[in-house]
Each structure stands twice: as structure tokens, then as C-alpha cells.
């Protein structure tokens, strides 16, 4: 299966990068832009298919390594094949 | 050998730390590669600064899973003395040995300066009586902005776990936090670099009392000669 993990800063946590990007967007004339948050995506292939067991493994991977639960949230998408 | 200084790929304050501990304080120390075991005779550990694993993913996120970290966790659980400096602090937070997390400086700049710090009344080793009301230590980091949720933050304040605060916040850290300890008082983490303030070629000598305070339990258990007082 093909997995895409989206990691983003928690809404309650300051995102200095997002603030800087928002500032740049506004200076380009997009004054209505607000709430910019910068995260990251991590894509990989993994054995198995979409199942509760796979999701349990993925949650463990996301909580332990790919995101830091203190400051980040994550979600993932699974494509078969 | 009494002090183990961990070396990850990308650590770059390991030699400075060894110099400060061994040559300046006169305490036997050696660097230990992250894939090796923590030596059984270890009495204190420094997790030094640098850019372990290129700071990829998050600062300290990959170092957390290095083989030596299992031994470090067991060492800390038994009450062993652990000090994380800069990237070492980030690694200790990532591994859960200290609460909270360090994110990008709010100014987005890498801050490299001699930083005034206000000393907090934390415990019998870290307090204004030992260090004076304020000291100056070098800082050099891009991700030193300390973050924790309200519960953790108020626990740190209530239990006097904050070691020092920035006098003029350089990075947006919550409550101006520059260094903390765990609740049992054996794991310490700080963004400033005490090991870069121990000699005449350094900007000041304010790192000496900080390192001495950290190593005090070793001094008491088996006094060793200290070359600089």
C-alpha cells in the first residue's frame, strides 16, 4: 500500500514559519489570506493493505517518529497498490 | 571513566563538552558513539549540542531511536545524572526524558549571541545562591522556542523545575524558559552552552558554576581534583 502522512503544527501551537509565509503572501497583495500553517508530508510504500492492524502500526509510527504529539497533529491517506 | 558524552552523527559540541569536563573540571570523561552501549561505569551523561542526523524530520527526532538511548533511559530511570545541552535538550524532550518540545525560533533567525539569563530558585544545586542572580552564556540555535501545554507549564512552575529564563527572550520560548529539569532533579536540559564558557578564550566563565552544579553529586560521592575553582 502507498501511504501519505500529513503532519501539521497543532492549532494551539505557534507556527513561526506559517506566520512568515502569511506575511509574504500578504505583501504579494493577497491581503485576505489568514491562518497559514506550514506542515510536511511524508510518503512511503509499506507491505500489507488498509486494515485495522495496518492503521494501528501507522498510528504507532506517526506518534513515535513522524510527528511529535506535543506540538503536531497528523493524518494519513492510504492507497492500495 | 565517570562521564559519558554521547556522540551522534552531526553532534558538534561533543569535543567542547569533553574539554570542559575533563581538562577544565578534571573529571574523567569520554565520548561514546550512539551505536555503542552506555559504559557500565558511567556516573553522569552529557547529551551534547549539534545537529544530530542533520536535524531531519525534527531536531532530535531521529537520535531518539539510536541504540544508546535505551541505556540512557534506564540510566535516567535509576536516578543517573543527565544533562542535555542545545540539541541534547531537544533530544531529551523528543525522547520523553524531559517534558515539552522545542520549535523554530519565533524570529525565524538562527540566534547566536551571549545571552543574559536570570537564575531561578530550582533546587539545592541550581539557584541564585550558587550562580548569582544572573549569568551570561552563549546560545546558538534555530529551534530553541520552548513549548508545552498549560498543564505541563504550570507543573514546571509549581515544582520549581525551571533552571533559568532568558533576560530578553531571543526565540519566543514560553515563560522565557531557557533550561529545565525533570521533577526528580536528575535530568537537566538547557539551550545555552555552559561548555562554551569555561576558558579564557571564551566570552566568559559563567559555564563553570553551571557544570559544577550539575556534577555536584559526583563530587560528593568520590571527590576528585578540580583544576579551576
Amino acid at each position: 500500500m502507498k501511504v501519505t502522512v500529513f503532519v501539521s503544527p497543532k492549532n494551539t501551537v505557534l507556527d513561526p514559519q506559517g506566520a512568515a509565509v502569511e506575511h509574504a503572501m500578504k505583501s504579494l497583495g493577497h491581503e485576505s489570506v489568514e491562518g497559514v500553517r506550514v506542515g510536511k508530508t511524508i510518503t512511503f510504500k509499506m507491505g500489507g493493505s488498509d486494515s485495522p492492524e495496518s492503521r494501528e502500526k501507522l498510528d504507532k509510527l506517526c506518534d513515535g517518529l513522524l510527528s511529535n504529539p506535543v506540538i503536531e497533529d497528523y493524518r494519513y491517506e492510504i492507497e492500495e497498490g | 571513566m565517570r562521564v559519558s558524552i554521547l556522540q551522534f552523527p552531526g553532534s558538534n559540541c561533543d569535543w567542547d563538552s569533553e574539554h570542559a569536563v575533563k581538562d577544565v573540571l578534571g573529571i574523567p570523561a569520554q565520548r561514546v558513539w550512539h551505536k555503542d552501549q552506555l559504559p557500565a561505569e558511567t556516573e553522569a551523561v552529557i547529551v551534547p549540542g549539534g545537529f544530530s542526523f542533520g536535524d531531519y524530520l525534527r531536531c532530535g527526532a531521529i537520535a531518539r531511536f539510536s541504540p544508546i538511548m535505551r541505556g540512557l533511559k534506564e540510566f535516567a530511570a535509576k536516578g543517573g545524572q543527565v544533562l542535555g545541552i542545545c540539541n541534547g535538550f531537544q533530544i531529551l524532550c523528543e525522547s520523553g526524558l524531559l517534558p515539552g518540545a522545542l520549535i523554530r525560533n519565533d524570529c525565524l533567525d538562527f540566534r547566536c549571541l551571549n545571552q543574559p539569563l536570570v537564575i531561578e530558585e530550582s533546587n539545592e544545586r541550581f539557584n541564585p545562591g550558587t550562580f548569582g542572580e544572573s549569568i551570561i552564556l552563549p546560545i546558538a540555535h534555530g529551534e530553541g522556542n520552548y513549548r508545552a501545554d498549560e498543564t505541563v507549564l504550570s507543573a514546571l512552575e509549581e515544582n520549581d523545575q525551571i533552571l533559568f529564563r532568558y533576560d530578553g527572550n531571543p526565540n519566543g520560548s514560553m515563560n522565557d524558559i531557557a533550561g529545565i529539569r525533570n521533577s526528580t532533579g536528575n535530568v537537566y536540559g538547557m539551550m545555552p552552552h555552559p561548555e562554551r564558557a569555561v576558558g579564557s578564550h571564551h566570552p566568559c566563565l559563567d559555564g563553570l558554576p553551571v557544570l559544577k552544579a550539575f556534577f555536584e553529586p559526583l563530587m560528593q560521592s568520590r571527590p576528585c581534583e578540580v583544576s579551576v575553582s
Side-chain angles (χ1 to χ4, degrees):
Chain A
M1 59 186 180
K2 225 170 113 185
V3 182
T4 307
V5 179
F6 301 89
V7 179
S8 55
K10 271 188 196 298
N11 283 334
T12 50
V13 173
L14 177 87
D15 177 18
Q17 251 190 119
V21 172
E22 183 170 319
H23 179 77
M25 289 163 90
K26 284 185 167 151
S27 70
L28 285 172
H30 304 280
E31 277 101 11
S32 65
V33 166
E34 59 181 52
V36 177
R37 313 287 287 172
V38 177
K40 56 190 113 176
T41 62
I42 301 146
T43 58
F44 52 95
K45 284 182 187 165
M46 196 177 176
S49 58
D50 192 351
S51 64
E53 293 75 33
S54 299
R55 285 182 176 260
E56 198 178 316
K57 269 188 208 166
L58 277 171
D59 284 330
K60 216 170 160 189
L61 194 57
C62 290
D63 279 327
L65 174 66
L66 300 182
S67 78
N68 178 343
V70 176
I71 46 169
E72 293 169 325
D73 290 323
Y74 70 86
R75 66 181 178 85
Y76 51 78
E77 287 170 6
I78 300 173
E79 278 175 66
E80 296 300 336
Chain B
M1 195 272 308
R2 310 183 74 193
V3 180
S4 293
I5 298 162
L6 308 193
Q7 274 186 311
F8 299 92
S11 296
N12 66 8
C13 300
D14 40 351
W15 288 77
D16 301 59
S17 297
E18 187 184 21
H19 169 71
V21 177
K22 200 157 78 176
D23 304 333
V24 181
L25 291 178
I27 306 170
Q30 78 172 38
R31 285 165 283 110
V32 182
W33 184 236
H34 74 115
K35 286 193 174 171
D36 294 337
Q37 297 289 317
L38 195 64
E41 63 272 30
T42 300
E43 290 176 68
V45 173
I46 291 184
V47 190
F51 301 86
S52 58
F53 296 92
D55 276 352
Y56 294 154
L57 202 57
R58 293 178 310 280
C59 303
I62 298 178
R64 173 194 168 182
F65 293 99
S66 275
I68 202 161
M69 292 305 287
R70 183 187 291 261
L72 182 70
K73 281 187 175 173
E74 286 167 8
F75 178 77
K78 284 187 219 148
Q81 299 293 316
V82 181
L83 169 62
I85 302 169
C86 199
N87 187 225
F89 183 18
Q90 294 162 341
I91 294 170
L92 295 181
C93 286
E94 278 285 339
S95 61
L97 285 170
L98 285 172
L102 294 138
I103 67 164
R104 185 77 65 96
N105 295 349
D106 64 348
C107 57
L108 294 176
D109 285 335
F110 187 93
R111 302 311 301 265
C112 185
L113 57 119
N114 297 316
Q115 173 69 46
L117 301 167
V118 178
I119 307 302
E120 291 295 310
E121 189 78 54
S122 184
N123 59 16
E124 70 287 350
R125 286 149 68 191
F126 284 78
N127 57 66
T130 314
F131 304 136
E133 296 293 327
S134 68
I135 57 171
I136 293 177
L137 286 179
I139 59 164
H141 59 249
E143 281 95 357
N145 185 346
Y146 184 81
R147 297 278 131 182
D149 65 31
E150 277 308 316
T151 319
V152 169
L153 209 57
S154 36
L156 287 175
E157 294 284 359
E158 276 163 31
N159 303 329
D160 301 322
Q161 285 172 248
I162 295 158
L163 306 173
F164 15 75
R165 297 180 207 265
Y166 299 113
D167 181 3
N169 193 330
N171 55 27
S173 254
M174 292 176 109
N175 296 20
D176 301 326
I177 288 172
I180 58 169
R181 62 170 173 85
N182 65 352
S183 54
T184 45
N186 65 309
V187 180
Y188 293 78
M190 56 189 69
M191 289 313 293
H193 287 272
E195 84 285 11
R196 293 189 197 174
V198 297
S200 55
H201 56 293
H202 287 146
C204 64
L205 297 176
D206 288 356
L208 282 171
V210 173
L211 291 174
K212 280 186 190 170
F214 172 70
F215 288 120
E216 202 183 280
L218 274 71
M219 309 281 194
Q220 285 171 351
S221 67
R222 205 189 321 155
C224 60
E225 205 164 311
V226 174
S227 57
V228 177
S229 56

